[in-house]
Amino acid sequence: MHIDLKGRTALVTGSTQGIGAAIATGLARSGARVAVNGRSTGRVRRSAAAIEHEVPGADVVPVAADVTTEAGAEQVAEALGRRVDILVNNLGVFGSADPLEITDDEWRRYFEVNVLAAVRLTRLFLPGMTERGWGRVQYLASDSAIVTPAEMIHYGMSKTALLAVSRGFAKQAAGTGVTVNSVVAGPTHTGGVEDFVHELVGRDLPWDEAQRAFMREHRPQSLLRRLIEPEEIANMVVYLSSDQASATTGGALRVDGGYVDSILP
Ligand SMILES: NC(=O)c1ccc[n+]([C@@H]2O[C@H](COP(=O)([O-])OP(=O)(O)OC[C@H]3O[C@@H](n4cnc5c(N)ncnc54)[C@H](OP(=O)(O)O)[C@@H]3O)[C@@H](O)[C@H]2O)c1
């Protein structure tokens, strides 16, 4: 299957590192013009330069803006001439906390960053996509959307909400040529994860053994028995962004290494 995204403009929120950076790179490799986003100009520029290095000839637009605010969302829209064909709502914060200790402000923060920011960007860009008769909107959900962790209820809530948001906007876009989906990512090898893993299973194990021990002891539900690489999540997002995925909409696609013990979704 040859995926060609030439002529499409993609926005990947929170793409200076981790899964977002892998998605931006994957979309650029398939020929899309890609907006890389984060809060600081320096990090956004460095991430854009890394993609240009990895994908010679890539068309990358660095957009530094806090997309969790109305002003930030507007800034992104202006920087892209108000046109986005592929919107990947990747930005998300996570952390564990005693459920009885999570304050109202923290609940609101999780809703605003993980859910409302994505809704706002969808509102900004979906009408243009439907007018043009082609578009792709995606939300990065998580296994925690389906299996609520007791120590991350606030995070789980925000990811479950994204599944509803995604399904609802898919109905809104019905019959227009625009597809809307969620990607349910499982435990992924990003940022501080190596440190976290070594902390739990011991510092002296080589990485490969350490992650296998971590999965065996702390994530036994995983059928993959290793962490997922960001590129493996990105592959699904790139596919969903393609013409080839035209009949997949209103869905929640799992790239969770079989972590969620369910035949569906
Ligand atoms: N990692 C996992 O195991 C895992 C599993 C399932 C689902 N997910 C989901 O996948 C998505 C990406 O996760 P990740 O682990 O790759 O994230 P991450 O490494 O924590 O990266 C977060 C990104 O968001 C940017 N960012 C943070 N606040 C921002 C704001 N207000 N405006 C714009 N950009 C902002 C950061 O850039 P700056 O710091 O440069 O601003 C960074 O590029 C999240 O939605 C997460 O819930 C992750």
Side-chain angles (χ1 to χ4, degrees):
M1 190 181 292
H2 176 69
I3 292 177
D4 183 2
L5 300 176
K6 269 191 220 75
R8 310 288 189 201
T9 294
L11 165 63
V12 186
T13 62
S15 46
T16 60
Q17 64 179 48
I19 295 171
I23 293 171
T25 306
L27 291 169
R29 195 171 282 124
S30 288
R33 172 177 179 246
V34 180
V36 171
N37 164 250
R39 290 160 295 184
S40 92
T41 310
R43 278 172 56 77
V44 163
R45 283 209 186 125
R46 273 196 296 282
S47 182
I51 296 174
E52 281 160 356
H53 179 74
E54 200 166 323
V55 185
D59 187 357
V60 188
V61 189
V63 186
D66 180 347
V67 293
T68 65
T69 66
E70 280 180 58
E74 258 309 302
Q75 219 177 314
V76 173
E78 282 302 309
L80 296 172
R82 312 201 77 81
R83 177 182 177 144
V84 165
D85 306 301
I86 300 165
L87 169 61
V88 183
N89 291 293
N90 166 76
L91 167 64
V93 288
F94 45 96
S96 58
D98 179 336
L100 297 177
E101 304 290 330
I102 303 168
T103 61
D104 289 2
D105 280 348
E106 196 63 345
W107 277 104
R108 281 189 202 101
R109 185 170 82 91
Y110 268 77
F111 176 73
E112 293 202 355
V113 174
N114 288 4
V115 185
L116 189 55
V119 170
R120 197 181 283 125
L121 289 171
T122 306
R123 242 171 19 212
L124 264 176
F125 296 117
L126 184 59
M129 292 181 197
T130 54
E131 264 167 46
R132 293 187 295 273
W134 197 96
R136 300 287 184 259
V137 180
Q138 298 176 51
Y139 303 88
L140 255 292
S142 154
D143 51 84
S144 302
I146 303 160
V147 184
T148 313
E151 75 290 359
M152 292 173 98
I153 299 181
H154 52 338
Y155 176 68
M157 168 284 296
S158 70
K159 293 297 175 179
T160 312
L162 282 183
L163 300 186
V165 164
S166 166
R167 180 72 193 164
F169 277 118
K171 287 181 179 172
Q172 164 73 21
T176 62
V178 178
T179 67
V180 185
N181 291 288
S182 303
V183 173
V184 177
T188 305
H189 183 189
T190 54
V193 151
E194 286 196 21
D195 234 29
F196 174 68
V197 165
H198 280 299
E199 211 170 277
L200 288 174
V201 300
R203 294 262 162 214
D204 355 311
L205 290 177
W207 168 244
D208 227 41
E209 270 178 57
Q211 67 160 312
R212 283 183 199 282
F214 166 76
M215 295 305 285
R216 201 169 48 242
E217 292 161 27
H218 299 277
R219 298 287 184 276
Q221 310 93 305
S222 166
L223 304 181
L224 197 62
R225 304 269 160 89
R226 62 164 173 80
L227 288 164
I228 298 160
E229 292 301 321
E231 292 71 25
E232 295 178 296
I233 312 279
N235 288 340
M236 174 65 87
V237 174
V238 171
Y239 167 68
L240 287 174
S241 303
S242 70
D243 282 330
Q244 286 93 330
S246 49
T248 300
T249 190
L253 289 300
R254 284 166 53 187
V255 190
D256 68 341
Y259 186 85
V260 176
D261 189 0
S262 156
I263 295 168
L264 294 172

